[in-house]
């Protein structure tokens, strides 16, 4: 097992995040932000639990223009929240369908509403509302003075750029994933049902030190796979299959997200060519990933190589994305995204193409933007399609 | 590894779900329902992927008053959706922040809006809005004739009662969890960091045939644990610890959700008494779990026993819940919930209490309501606190 990166963050990390948020909030004249998803609550508090798997209870964090965040949470989370740096923790006995935190929020937000304050709420791209829509509408209607503003640009700007401590966790889990893929030739062989390959790979990632493997998808078929988001079938691996596994394993709440391709027993020429094209597209992406370039530049650099074999591009919609507390985060390497790359952004490079008779291939690496060439967190894929 | 339950469902299962939904929709004069969460989309289509881990893209399913559901989804999911029983699949190249499926939804819903139709949307207890709130508001504003109605009661009524095929999957994963817990005395011992106990237990559940272990929480401390939703610390298990693990493992998209308690080397009297009290509270819950009883009856039956040791009750908020495609589903065993139990509801019984100096204990079993006594899907916990 790899040496572990330290767990948690020093209080100074949360203080810095709060300070940065309050600077950005001041620029938008926000009186506060109301957050409610796992990643956002954890980002500002350190509150870390798998209990979010239960959809039953809403959780709220209010980040004020001045002062520390205020947690408005179900009583079941109080003990864990008291272990974080948060002081003001307001609880109710949840579930309580008639009033699941709403009156506590009304009390908290009433002074803002009376002043006609602006409340930031993430409501833009890649966000969702993790509370009942009916409760949200009831809450907002009861606070007519409040102005709701989209806080997505603030959250996005903050979370896109990682701290050194965050990069340490991401590097650690990318290392675990790389060690796991290095062992795949020992775990997978012709005749093994793909579902068993997945099971063995999950167990290996845990043995290597991953806390969890929330994401594992892939495919295998003769001369190439057809789909990149499916659960595994029980079809046995066969000579001539191209096998791909794509994993999002976690360490201390941070994800890796990358894949590897393998040929079983033998590799066909077209798959070899697809592999070579995507390997070079990734190289082009790495080369282009410099501070000051845009996500669109990254997209163009990779797409130019991909076009040697597939001018249409795949149906994946982009060629990589941000990475951190979630499997995918802003930004997107796509023509629409003009985000300027900055030091300490952690990104995936994920070129893909369609080939042959409805086959597709994807490659993926995880990098950190830094001065000069990026740091590649994953052990770079072999330049030629490995044969198992 | 346990013999596997069949994967997927026959088309007749989806036809039956649709028919039932349309009967309930007709009673509420709904022209359709718009669904967008993993569980709801999978429930009506069979679309099963871990890709929901990525928050980037929204996914939509429209269930009309007549005819088959219509999927409005990102192109990356088209191949997998075509493997389901759904015919009408409308795709766009996502992510596309300017129009992430919204114009496709407008086109689909415009005829309903022109007729002043009622559109059902789950917006009540235990639901969330899995799309950007800004996009939702833009969509609804653009369709002024549309009446938005809460579809939670329909979805809730349907999903609470399981089919035989669903119960087969739930029984299978509960069996896997039970086999895993039976092996825990071999996996855990004094001196082992709790995080390693968790790791070994996860690996064991996978080896036993679980597809994934999305939920594993617990605690261990001298004479009792303090918290039931935390990730594991690296503190080594010690003689005198009470150890609890609570797992939500999955098979083919269905969860078990239960826990087990163990004493390390020796058990203190108070923990033994807490264990005995909760074991008998569970017995009382099993006894009370009959068709025609309410969730409140179940709550009262268990709470009466718990009160021997803790009249206040814990801070968990309820004493069990529904179980199925999500770790927790409606209903809740709580004083507020008067849901009438019916055959083929799958439930957890989860009595808990506080004791000693801020210690707590939880017990949990998974059952199916049937005529007469319920079927207990989990291997019943030992009547006395097991010592490892």
């Amino acid at each position: 097992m790899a040496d572990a990166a330290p767990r948690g963050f020093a209080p100074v990390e949360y203080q810095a995040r709060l300070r940065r948020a309050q600077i950005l909030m001041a620029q938008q004249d926000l009186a506060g932000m109301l957050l409610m998803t796992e990643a956002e609550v954890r980002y500002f508090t350190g509150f870390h639990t798998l209990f979010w798997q239960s959809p039953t209870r809403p959780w709220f964090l209010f980040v004020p223009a001045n002062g520390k965040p205020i947690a408005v949470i179900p009583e079941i989370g109080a003990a864990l929240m008291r272990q974080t740096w948060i002081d003001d923790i307001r609880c109710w006995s949840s579930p309580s369908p008639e009033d699941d935190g709403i009156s506590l929020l009304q009390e908290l937000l009433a002074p803002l509403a009376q002043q006609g304050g602006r409340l930031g709420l993430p409501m833009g791209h890649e966000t969702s509302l993790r509370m009942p829509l009916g409760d949200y509408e009831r809450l907002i209607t009861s606070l007519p003075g409040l102005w709701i503003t989209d806080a997505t640009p603030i959250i996005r700007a903050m979370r896109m750029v990682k701290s050194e401590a965050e990069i340490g966790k991401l590097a650690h889990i990318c290392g675990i994933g790389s060690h796991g893929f290095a062992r795949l030739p020992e775990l997978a062989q012709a005749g093994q049902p793909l579902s068993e390959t997945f099971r063995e790979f999950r167990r290996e990632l845990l043995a290597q030190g991953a806390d969890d493997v929330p994401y594992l998808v892939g495919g295998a078929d003769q001369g190439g796979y057809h789909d990149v988001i499916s659960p595994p079938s029980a079809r046995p691996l066969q000579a001539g299959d191209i096998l791909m596994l794509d994993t999002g394993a976690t360490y201390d709440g941070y994800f890796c997200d990358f894949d590897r391709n393998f040929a079983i027993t033998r590799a066909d020429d077209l798959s070899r060519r697809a592999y070579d094209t995507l390997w070079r597209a990734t190289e082009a992406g790495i080369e282009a990933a410099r501070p000051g370039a845009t996500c669109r530049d990254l997209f163009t650099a990779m797409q130019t190589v991909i076009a040697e074999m597939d001018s249409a591009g795949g149906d994946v919609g982009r060629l990589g994305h941000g990475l951190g507390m979630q499997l995918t985060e802003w930004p997107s390497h796509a023509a629409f995204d003009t985000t300027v790359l900055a030091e300490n952004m952690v990104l995936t490079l994920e070129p893909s193409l369609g080939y042959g008779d409805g086959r597709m291939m994807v490659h993926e690496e995880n990098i950190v933007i830094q001065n000069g060439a990026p740091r590649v967190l994953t052990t770079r894929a072999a330049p030629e399609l490995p044969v198992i």
Side-chain angles (χ1 to χ4, degrees), chain A:
Chain A
M1 196 187 304
D3 277 354
R7 289 189 183 265
F9 294 102
V12 66
E13 175 106 8
Y14 296 108
Q15 289 157 5
R17 292 177 186 177
L18 176 62
R19 197 161 48 238
R20 173 102 170 107
Q22 288 174 334
I23 289 169
L24 295 172
M25 285 160 65
Q27 290 170 4
Q28 288 201 32
D29 193 26
L30 291 189
M33 291 193 295
L34 183 63
L35 308 175
M36 56 189 84
T37 69
E38 193 276 336
E40 287 154 3
V41 172
R42 176 155 55 96
Y43 187 75
F44 285 104
T45 66
F47 184 76
H48 191 190
T49 170
L50 284 175
F51 197 67
W52 294 87
Q53 274 287 338
S54 167
T56 298
R57 299 170 183 83
W59 303 75
F60 304 104
L61 188 76
F62 178 68
V63 181
N66 297 292
K68 287 175 68 171
I70 297 167
V72 179
I73 61 170
E75 185 66 38
I76 195 172
L80 188 58
M81 187 63 86
R82 279 196 295 267
Q83 294 176 33
T84 72
W85 78 303
I86 302 301
D87 305 316
D88 190 345
I89 302 168
R90 307 178 186 184
C91 296
W92 79 99
S93 179
S94 178
S96 175
E98 294 305 308
D99 181 12
D100 245 345
I102 301 308
S103 62
L104 286 176
L105 287 179
Q106 284 168 334
E107 190 186 326
L108 175 67
L109 298 174
L112 270 66
Q114 279 152 22
Q115 297 157 25
R118 287 156 58 92
L119 178 69
L121 203 77
M123 51 199 292
H125 193 232
E126 309 203 18
T127 72
S128 62
L129 184 77
R130 197 191 178 280
M131 67 181 290
L133 179 61
D135 279 359
Y136 171 76
E137 292 180 344
R138 191 154 57 92
L139 174 68
I140 297 308
T141 306
S142 74
L143 298 165
L146 210 57
W147 289 83
I148 304 296
T149 307
D150 185 9
T152 310
I154 293 176
I155 301 295
R156 180 185 144 115
M158 293 186 63
R159 285 186 44 204
M160 275 198 305
V161 178
K162 269 65 179 181
S163 70
E164 291 301 330
E166 287 183 292
I167 291 169
K169 295 178 199 296
L170 288 159
H172 184 66
I173 191 60
C174 286
I176 288 169
S178 297
H179 291 308
F181 277 124
R183 286 220 54 212
L184 198 74
E186 298 165 54
L187 303 174
Q189 64 271 327
Q192 182 184 52
L194 181 60
S195 50
E196 289 308 304
T197 312
F198 272 53
R199 187 180 312 282
E200 290 307 314
F201 188 60
R202 261 186 208 280
R203 296 187 76 233
E204 178 65 23
L205 290 170
L206 293 168
Q208 294 278 355
D211 293 337
D212 198 359
V213 188
Y215 188 69
L216 181 60
V217 298
D221 213 336
Q222 289 286 293
Y225 40 89
H226 296 79
D227 167 32
V228 294
I229 67 169
S230 288
S233 73
R235 174 186 171 280
L237 293 173
Q238 297 170 24
D241 276 0
I242 305 300
L243 164 68
M244 185 277 292
L245 281 87
D246 182 359
T247 190
T250 56
Y251 176 79
D252 203 24
Y254 283 77
F255 274 90
C256 66
D257 177 18
F258 68 111
D259 63 33
R260 289 296 179 258
N261 293 272
F262 304 88
I264 304 299
T265 313
R266 62 173 182 268
D268 61 288
D269 287 343
L270 208 53
S271 294
R272 283 185 194 278
R273 201 179 134 213
Y275 189 99
D276 174 68
T277 304
L278 291 177
W279 197 89
R280 288 184 293 106
T282 309
E283 287 292 296
I286 292 171
E287 185 60 35
R290 297 289 190 279
T294 66
C295 288
R296 178 191 287 173
D297 294 337
L298 267 187
F299 169 79
T300 305
M302 290 186 275
Q303 189 58 41
T304 303
V305 181
I306 293 167
E308 293 174 15
M309 204 164 162
D310 177 12
S311 57
D315 52 12
V316 173
R318 57 181 178 177
L319 300 180
H321 51 77
L323 179 68
M325 306 171 74
Q326 291 171 294
L327 179 72
T328 74
E329 299 185 347
W330 311 279
S332 292
H333 307 324
F336 67 76
D337 198 326
T338 55
T339 301
V340 177
L341 302 185
E343 277 185 77
N344 289 354
M345 284 186 180
V346 176
L347 304 170
T348 71
L349 298 175
E350 191 174 6
S352 61
L353 56 75
Y355 70 104
D357 181 20
R359 316 290 152 152
M360 63 184 301
M361 190 177 279
V362 287
H363 275 213
E364 194 166 12
E365 305 282 4
N366 300 162
I367 64 171
V368 187
I369 301 298
Q370 51 186 27
N371 246 324
R375 175 180 170 199
V376 182
L377 297 178
T378 41
T379 301
R380 187 78 175 91
E384 292 187 4
L385 177 55
V387 179
I388 295 180

